[in-house]
């Protein structure tokens, strides 16, 4: 009886250490303050802080889980903070040249007039494809996160590797966003080739999905977009490649068929809905491949292996 009481005290002591409480309060306050000055206050920020702190102190199991998923939180914060540093402030935005390149390489002859695949799709839209594209485009967040959750409980080392590759691919994409600001196809359709700073996000072809179900789902999502001029590369097209790669790596069998279908569906939807050129999609594919190859090269280093094992130990440690 005495031993059980001591175990309970040890559990509580380790779950509610003062240094953890002080550190989390400081980090949470700093995040909210920095966010306020950079991108303005949003309820999403409070929700994020609440979820993290709740899971950190709820139990040792939820603490390990949220600690492991912290890398995705860092990604979300970095993506959100891009609003404070628009890429069009640093390099010229590519609008007409990218449009002409798309037409030159992938142009479709329509009654004697060459149009881009996006323009062709816009002229030949269908309700079934509108709904299907919307469903696929909604999967770019849930599928990687659910897969990450599966790896967390099934194979924590693979979870850590997947998380690091996911963020690494994003960082490569973010760098390209700033080196090569690019307008999406819908921008040309709405505004032509003139550059208009601080243009608001647009649902483009996904508006047909909202209209079909009489909802404002995608309108709400794209109103929070970090940067309109971040179409090249299409990271929407990169994410499913990372998922499929780890799916095949872990020999998940038939589930990999689902991953491949989602990957192809997102690629199609990106072009069909006017959010990306085919060039953007190929850019996303190259970004994912580059990220995986460079990561695997670094992963062979002893210092990196030790780092991975350290992270794994942190999210598997028992109280």
């Amino acid at each position: 009886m005495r031993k059980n009481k001591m175990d309970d005290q040890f559990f509580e002591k380790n779950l509610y250490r003062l240094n953890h409480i002080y550190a989390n309060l400081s980090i949470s306050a700093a995040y909210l303050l920095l966010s306020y000055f950079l991108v303005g206050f949003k309820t999403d920020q409070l929700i994020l802080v609440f979820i993290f702190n709740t899971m950190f102190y709820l139990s040792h199991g939820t603490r390990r889980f949220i600690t492991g998923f912290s890398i995705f939180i860092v990604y979300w914060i970095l993506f959100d903070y891009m609003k404070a540093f628009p890429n069009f402030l640093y390099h010229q935005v590519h609008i007409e040249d990218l449009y002409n390149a798309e037409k030159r390489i992938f142009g479709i002859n329509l009654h004697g007039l060459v149009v881009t695949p996006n323009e062709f799709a816009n002229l030949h839209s269908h309700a079934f494809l509108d709904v299907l594209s919307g469903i696929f485009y909604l999967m770019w967040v849930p599928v990687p996160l659910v897969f990450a959750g599966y790896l967390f409980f099934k194979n924590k080392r693979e979870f850590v590797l997947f998380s690091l590759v996911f963020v690494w691919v994003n960082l490569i994409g973010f760098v390209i966003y700033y080196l090569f600001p690019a307008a999406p196809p819908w921008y040309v359709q709405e505004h032509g080739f003139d550059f208009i700073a601080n243009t608001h996000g647009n649902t483009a072809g996904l508006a047909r999905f909202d209209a079909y179900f009489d909802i404002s789902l995608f309108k709400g999502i794209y109103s929070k977009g970090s940067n309109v001029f971040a179409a090249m590369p299409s990271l929407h097209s990169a994410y499913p490649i990372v998922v499929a790669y780890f799916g095949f790596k872990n020999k998940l069998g038939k589930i990999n068929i689902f991953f491949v279908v989602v990957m192809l569906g997102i690629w199609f939807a990106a072009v069909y809905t006017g959010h990306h050129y085919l060039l953007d999609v190929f850019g996303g594919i190259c970004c994912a491949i580059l990220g995986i190859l460079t990561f695997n090269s670094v992963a062979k280093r002893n210092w990196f292996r030790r780092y991975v094992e350290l992270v794994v130990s942190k999210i598997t440690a028992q109280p």
Side-chain angles (χ1 to χ4, degrees), residues 20 28 85 227 266 279 311:
H20 287 161
S28 298
F85 308 97
N227 196 339
I266 290 177
L279 286 173
V311 176

Side-chain angles (χ1 to χ4, degrees), residues 89-104:
L89 296 178
Y90 305 95
H91 288 92
Q92 180 181 357
V93 176
H94 296 267
I95 306 175
E96 186 173 6
D97 56 344
L98 190 58
Y99 171 83
N100 289 331
E102 177 81 359
K103 184 182 289 189
R104 184 170 60 252

Side-chain angles (χ1 to χ4, degrees), residues 186-247:
W186 64 259
Y187 181 91
V188 174
Q189 182 179 344
E190 293 286 329
H191 306 290
F193 300 130
D194 295 328
F195 168 66
I196 304 174
N198 300 314
T199 301
H200 294 295
N202 193 304
T203 55
L206 291 170
R208 296 192 293 267
F209 180 93
D210 280 359
Y212 185 86
F213 292 102
D214 193 23
I215 57 178
S216 301
L217 177 61
F218 284 107
K219 182 179 180 181
I221 292 174
Y222 280 92
S223 65
K224 301 177 181 179
S226 283
N227 196 339
V228 165
F229 304 108
M232 168 66 82
S234 166
L235 288 179
H236 286 99
S237 302
Y239 301 147
I241 296 178
V242 178
V243 172
Y245 168 75
F246 275 88

Side-chain angles (χ1 to χ4, degrees), residues 97-127:
D97 56 344
L98 190 58
Y99 171 83
N100 289 331
E102 177 81 359
K103 184 182 289 189
R104 184 170 60 252
I105 299 172
F106 300 109
I108 300 172
N109 192 306
L110 184 64
H111 307 305
L113 180 67
V114 178
V115 297
T116 66
N118 311 96
E119 293 170 330
F120 182 86
N122 191 48
L123 292 170
H124 297 83
S125 63
H126 189 280

Side-chain angles (χ1 to χ4, degrees), residues 5-247:
K5 186 175 181 180
M6 291 177 63
D7 288 343
D8 290 341
Q9 290 175 344
F10 179 79
F11 177 88
E12 294 297 332
K13 181 180 178 182
N14 281 271
L15 191 61
Y16 301 107
R17 287 180 178 175
L18 284 178
N19 60 330
H20 287 161
I21 295 175
Y22 293 149
N24 282 342
L25 285 176
S26 299
I27 293 172
S28 298
Y31 163 66
L32 292 174
L33 189 63
L34 183 60
S35 298
Y36 174 78
F37 286 107
L38 287 181
V39 296
F41 172 77
K42 296 181 294 183
T43 54
D44 295 354
Q45 298 156 4
L46 285 178
I47 294 173
L48 179 63
V49 169
F50 174 77
I51 291 175
F52 178 84
N53 283 278
T54 299
M55 295 191 72
F56 192 85
Y57 295 113
L58 188 62
S59 70
H60 281 284
T62 57
R63 173 174 294 185
R64 291 192 293 271
F65 184 83
I66 200 63
T67 299
F69 270 78
S70 292
I71 192 165
F72 291 101
I73 295 176
V74 171
Y75 151 73
W76 185 89
I77 292 173
L78 289 176
F79 180 77
D80 191 41
Y81 283 178
M82 287 174 65
K83 296 187 184 76
F85 308 97
N87 59 351
F88 58 77
L89 296 178
Y90 305 95
H91 288 92
Q92 180 181 357
V93 176
H94 296 267
I95 306 175
E96 186 173 6
D97 56 344
L98 190 58
Y99 171 83
N100 289 331
E102 177 81 359
K103 184 182 289 189
R104 184 170 60 252
I105 299 172
F106 300 109
I108 300 172
N109 192 306
L110 184 64
H111 307 305
L113 180 67
V114 178
V115 297
T116 66
N118 311 96
E119 293 170 330
F120 182 86
N122 191 48
L123 292 170
H124 297 83
S125 63
H126 189 280
F128 173 76
L129 294 178
D130 295 339
V131 172
L132 189 65
S133 295
I135 293 172
F136 276 124
Y137 231 52
L138 285 172
M139 291 184 179
W140 75 268
V141 171
V143 170
L145 288 182
V146 171
F147 182 57
Y150 165 81
L151 289 177
F152 180 87
F153 293 106
K154 189 72 174 180
N155 188 328
K156 285 184 171 55
R157 189 175 188 281
E158 284 297 300
F159 164 78
V160 172
L161 294 176
F162 171 77
S163 303
L164 292 173
V165 171
F166 181 86
V167 173
W168 175 235
V169 168
N170 272 282
L171 292 177
I172 293 174
F174 291 171
V175 170
I176 298 174
Y177 285 165
Y178 282 92
L179 294 177
F180 191 87
W186 64 259
Y187 181 91
V188 174
Q189 182 179 344
E190 293 286 329
H191 306 290
F193 300 130
D194 295 328
F195 168 66
I196 304 174
N198 300 314
T199 301
H200 294 295
N202 193 304
T203 55
L206 291 170
R208 296 192 293 267
F209 180 93
D210 280 359
Y212 185 86
F213 292 102
D214 193 23
I215 57 178
S216 301
L217 177 61
F218 284 107
K219 182 179 180 181
I221 292 174
Y222 280 92
S223 65
K224 301 177 181 179
S226 283
N227 196 339
V228 165
F229 304 108
M232 168 66 82
S234 166
L235 288 179
H236 286 99
S237 302
Y239 301 147
I241 296 178
V242 178
V243 172
Y245 168 75
F246 275 88

